[in-house]
Amino acid sequence: MAQNQIKVTLVRSVIGTKKSHRATVRGLGLRGLNSSRVLVDTPEVRGMIRKVDYLVTVSEA
């Protein structure tokens, strides 16, 4: 049974953001600007995305 996946892309710089938000972006596996990761769609990942929603875009993978 395949799990749903989502693609998360960092579209805004983390410069000038809160330290906890920078840590959340790193926790999602995003490094530089325009870097993307395909992640399993879990409540934990959705919560991390919601915290930094102004920095990332989400699409179906």
Side-chain angles (χ1 to χ4, degrees):
M1 173 164 91
Q3 294 179 334
N4 292 340
Q5 294 185 324
I6 52 176
K7 182 178 180 183
V8 184
T9 305
L10 184 62
V11 294
R12 290 192 57 190
S13 173
V14 295
I15 295 172
T17 60
K18 291 183 177 181
K19 193 171 186 177
S20 63
H21 290 199
R22 291 194 298 269
T24 301
V25 168
R26 291 291 292 135
L28 287 168
L30 302 173
R31 290 176 177 262
L33 202 56
N34 294 319
S35 64
S36 297
R37 285 288 303 264
V38 175
L39 303 167
V40 177
D41 189 6
T42 63
E44 294 82 3
V45 170
R46 285 285 180 176
M48 292 172 76
I49 291 168
R50 194 173 304 115
K51 183 174 181 177
V52 293
D53 61 351
Y54 64 101
L55 297 173
V56 300
T57 58
V58 181
S59 60
E60 297 299 320

